[in-house]
Amino acid sequence: MKSFSKITGIAAPMDRANVDTDMIIPKQFLKSIKRTGFGKNLFDELRYLDEGKPDQECTGRPLNAEFPLNHARYQNASVLLARKNFGCGSSREHAPWALDDYGFRCVIAPSFADIFYNNCFKNGLLPLVLTDDEVEVLFQQMYAAPGYELTVDLPSQQVVTPGGDVFHFEVDEFRKHCLINGLDDIGLTLEQADAIKAYEAERRQSAPWLFDAVKN
Amino acid sequence: MAARTLYDKLWDAHLVQQRADGSALIYIDRHIVHEVTSPQAFEGLRLAGRKPWRVDSVLATPDHNVPTTVKERASGVSGIEDPVSQIQVKTLDDNCDEFGIVEYKINDRRQGIVHVVGPESGACLPGMTIVCGDSHTATNGALGALAHGIGTSEVEHVLATQCLVAKKMKNMLVEVNGELGVGITPKDVVLAIIGKIGTAGGTGYAIEFAGDVFRAMSMEGRMTVCNMAIEAGARAGMVAVDDITLDYVKGRIYAPTEAQWAQAEAAWRDLTSDAGAHFDEVVTLNGAEIMPQVSWGTSPEMVVGVADVVPTPEAEVDAVKREGMERALEYMGLSAGQAIQDIKLDRVFIGSCTNSRIEDMRAAAQVVKGRKKADSVKQAMVVPGSGLVKAQAEAEGLDKIFVEAGFEWREPGCSMCLAMNADKLGAGEHCASTSNRNFEGRQGYGGRTHLVSPAMAAAAGIAGHFVDVREFVGQE
Ligand code: SF4
């Protein structure tokens, strides 16, 4: 997995609450059997004026001039500023894949939906929670200053603004450790194979029906 | 031992390892797989040279992409017209064959929507931990199980290790007491709950649904409610085990055999919250006050009673909410103050993992029986949740009732719930839908979804606009 330590990048807005994963990546693009290539369809229905199709070349499509990611000032953004309950709805991991493929490394919001939050960590994308007021400050500063860049420092758990404001954020130790070191979750779990086998052995005794095979 | 909630008990029973930072390794008993969120997981296994840990704990079936017309279904996978969908369904077949996973393939009569197939087959049982790469896995919580959706990386993780890295959620109790009015369905109950706590109200919680209303509710009704726990922000919803649960499970294909039943039953009887168990949050509703619900906006919390009007954004004090409401009204083409019953429908969709079980089919059929679809409604589709539901409905003659009323009777699958196959709304069309999400574009680009119960959807299809199904049936 891609590791995440400290980044500095342009911040872009997704200024509405309850952004669902259908909005982040509409269902027609979930037909892909790959993990990559979703960036061009990130926020497809907001970003383009026509209906997007899978496997379509997007360069000639009509852009929605009102959508911030289409504005020159937000090009090459790597930090997404969002509102509460970001990533709600469907569990599709295509949502973090699309954000990552587009170039985002971090999403800052007052709250995230649980499954989306979890999925981000599996993909080297940092979902970062600040308070409502702090997020509001960042939005205001960003709107006021084209080219506004934020520094996100995971080891010290800080967001630093161009003006030198510092906001502290919380993150689980284990997730932080995995993200900083780009660790593969599965490999780590398999190191505990003996514990898993011991658990299974006990359960086979106490609840044998749980181990009946699914048969055709 | 201190008094524990149902969720505490399920969690404790599956704990393999607790880490100091609060995260834990929990054991997964059942893993259900479908075609959309699994290809990248299988690819990951292959790349790392890994094998499934316990291959016989996995059951697969394609549902999201499968066509629902008899014609397109006739020649199986190769008959799927959309080439991209075809590849995805074919990839699931190939992966299951390669890894030795049991799959109910496209035209197997047991095929269906994952969350319908799981409980129906008995693959999902009380007391289990159940996961699937799909947020509506919460449906299985109705069995008194810990069931929730996971992402594709976690699908791979569970395949490879039979475990999930998780953090214990908080406990929420949603208690609905009293008695539901005549014609009020489980769908109305869950929409009313979401309307009350909001789409983020349950974030970070596992919800237990308790109270008179759930004790009296059928298993299928409980599934409808648990299904939409995710629309309230909770990954998992659940209902304690009682006689209704045990009666439902007994005799299913993968249910415990006669020899094990007594032992299983004894264990399952304990799957209730102890008296005095601690809940971090308690929400109560009065069942008698719940009206038939209709969603008017683009989030499941934007819901009102059928006799109400579309709300006015100016009346909302929270600025972010107000903006959301304004945007929703614009997208939905509705105006504040408009009566819900004045909303005209272009299409009707009865199906999805929320409402495609036999009781849902019966409820809809009862309303349309002897009546005709309104001419102004372009299409009214009924899509059973599985091949077995379809067969049962046909044995009861429900398909004929629908067809005579001008409703289409389809092959099982997710269908217009998310429009990944050919079943979708046109831009600007209003749909009375028994599904679970009314997000922008969910049922088709520019489509406008109104979430309702099967009976309400059926009545809307007959009238051409929303009606209070209670008066409607009363008019006989
Ligand atoms: S019916 Fe709809 S919500 Fe349910 S699994 Fe299928 S697409 Fe998802």
Side-chain angles (χ1 to χ4, degrees), chain A residues 13 32 49 65 72 86 101 115 119 147 149 156 171 181 214:
Chain A
S32 167
L49 294 171
F86 188 84
D101 195 57
I115 302 180
N119 284 341
E149 285 193 331
S156 70
V171 58
N181 298 294
V214 169

Side-chain angles (χ1 to χ4, degrees), chain B residues 64 113-115 134 136 352-353 414 417-418 436 442:
Chain B
H64 287 62
I113 305 173
V114 276
H115 316 305
D134 193 285
H136 291 101
S352 90
C353 57
C414 294
C417 172
L418 93 166
N436 43 54
R442 170 81 179 181

